[in-house]
Amino acid sequence: MSDELLITVAGVGAEVMREQQPNLPLLPDEVGEEYRRAYDAGATIGHIHGRLPDGKPTQDRETFRAYSAAIRQRCPILQQFSTGGAVGMTVEERIAAVDLKPDMATLTLGTCNFGDDVFENSLPTIRAILSRLQQHGITPELEIFDDGMLATADVLFAKGLLKPPAHFDFVLGVPGAAAATAENLNHFARSIPTGCTWTVAGIGRRQTAMATMAIAMGGHVRVGFEDNIYYRKGELADSNARFVERAVRIAREVGREPASIAQARAILRLPAAA
Ligand code: KMH
Ligand code: ZN
């Protein structure tokens, strides 16, 4: 376990709309400012989805290029592109921007229900995304929404397609996938190979409880509008940074400091910055 805490800000997502969360950033400068505020508050990884100005989700390369530049202009937060995109997107759409060579990109290790929809990640889809990431030398973050996805990780490790240690993100609380419970978090954290690191993304009102458990267990934390729009019951968060600030306060109470960018690179086994 590292004492330093990785905090990922997932500030945009593909599902939440302005009608639900008026502070959702959509334009590049809005995204840049929002991620800069989150970085100033202690976040070291920015998980990025694309949106058109009207809020429609997109994985278009030019949108990612503009977001990436707007963030980079303002702060050195590590950039992690989503390859999950939004449900229903084709694999080619989902990976269209990875040739921009972000610091990391997500790789979901299985199909699951996603509310009324299905988030499709068959083995051929996983292999196609992984191969594109490897072609560009991009470190994947392995997204685990359900127990079976841990078994898929084992298969990929056994076949040598992935090499431990890897970094996992346990996304707990999506309707139709694994619930955000202490039992599931403990089970997931114990199921990954020795030396691997992990983050938890608790969905909805379980975000803070899951983050608190992860902080105590030696894991890492993801917060932001993609997963949760309320600061507390009935109160919309006025920015993603509020969630980061709260994670930092909780971490400091148990003796953990937010990681610096250099520490985050070391924890994630990313190459040192050029
Ligand atoms: N929007 C979800 C369907 C990822 O970023 O890699 C998928 C997702 C996962 O958000
Ligand atoms: Zn995402």
Side-chain angles (χ1 to χ4, degrees):
M1 141 170 186
S2 68
D3 280 341
E4 293 81 27
L5 178 70
L6 301 175
I7 302 175
T8 301
V9 59
V12 180
E15 288 81 26
V16 169
M17 300 301 281
R18 274 265 169 89
E19 292 71 32
Q20 299 161 288
Q21 173 39 279
N23 302 305
L24 180 74
L26 298 175
L27 301 177
D29 283 340
E30 295 170 350
V31 173
E33 275 304 298
E34 194 66 3
Y35 279 58
R36 197 264 311 150
R37 279 192 284 268
Y39 169 77
D40 287 346
T44 37
I45 305 169
H47 172 72
I48 303 172
H49 283 256
R51 298 289 188 112
L52 297 175
D54 66 0
K56 192 169 177 286
T58 177
Q59 292 287 105
D60 171 60
R61 183 186 291 108
E62 293 317 309
T63 301
F64 276 78
R65 195 195 302 279
Y67 279 16
S68 178
I71 296 168
R72 180 78 61 240
Q73 251 170 31
R74 292 168 170 89
C75 70
I77 196 167
L78 300 175
Q79 296 191 13
Q80 178 193 83
F81 286 7
S82 169
T83 67
V87 288
M89 288 179 172
T90 64
V91 175
E92 277 306 318
E93 270 180 285
R94 287 166 57 176
I95 54 182
V98 300
D99 63 354
L100 299 176
K101 300 192 196 308
D103 298 294
M104 296 184 92
T106 56
L107 176 65
T108 299
L109 294 189
T111 297
C112 62
N113 284 339
F114 198 90
D116 286 349
D117 298 312
V118 174
F119 181 29
E120 193 282 321
N121 295 284
S122 62
L123 267 173
T125 295
I126 295 168
R127 282 195 296 263
I129 296 174
L130 177 59
S131 130
R132 190 69 67 89
L133 298 185
Q134 288 172 339
Q135 191 185 321
H136 293 294
I138 301 168
T139 302
E141 176 181 86
L142 308 178
E143 308 290 304
I144 304 293
F145 290 63
D146 227 339
D147 201 41
M149 299 190 194
L150 292 165
T152 300
D154 287 342
V155 169
L156 297 174
F157 287 130
K159 287 187 185 300
L161 288 171
L162 283 173
K163 288 190 183 42
H167 186 72
F168 286 80
D169 180 34
F170 306 137
V171 184
L172 299 183
V174 167
T181 63
E183 290 77 12
N184 280 341
L185 181 58
N186 188 47
H187 164 58
F188 282 28
R190 285 169 175 273
S191 300
I192 59 178
T194 309
C196 291
T197 46
W198 59 271
T199 287
V200 72
I203 303 302
R205 64 196 173 81
R206 296 291 289 160
Q207 181 169 87
T208 307
M210 288 290 111
T212 304
M213 285 179 221
I215 289 167
M217 291 165 70
H220 303 279
V221 167
R222 181 172 110 171
V223 292
F225 293 158
E226 176 168 345
D227 304 330
N228 172 40
I229 57 176
Y230 290 99
Y231 189 74
R232 58 172 71 84
K233 192 172 164 47
E235 184 189 325
L236 286 168
D238 65 1
S239 77
N240 283 281
R242 291 282 170 265
F243 297 122
V244 178
E245 289 164 3
R246 178 160 60 190
V248 170
R249 284 199 301 278
I250 296 167
R252 288 196 166 132
E253 288 297 324
V254 297
R256 296 185 70 186
E257 284 294 316
S260 66
I261 297 292
Q263 287 166 336
R265 283 188 178 278
I267 294 166
L268 293 163
R269 302 160 292 273
L270 301 180

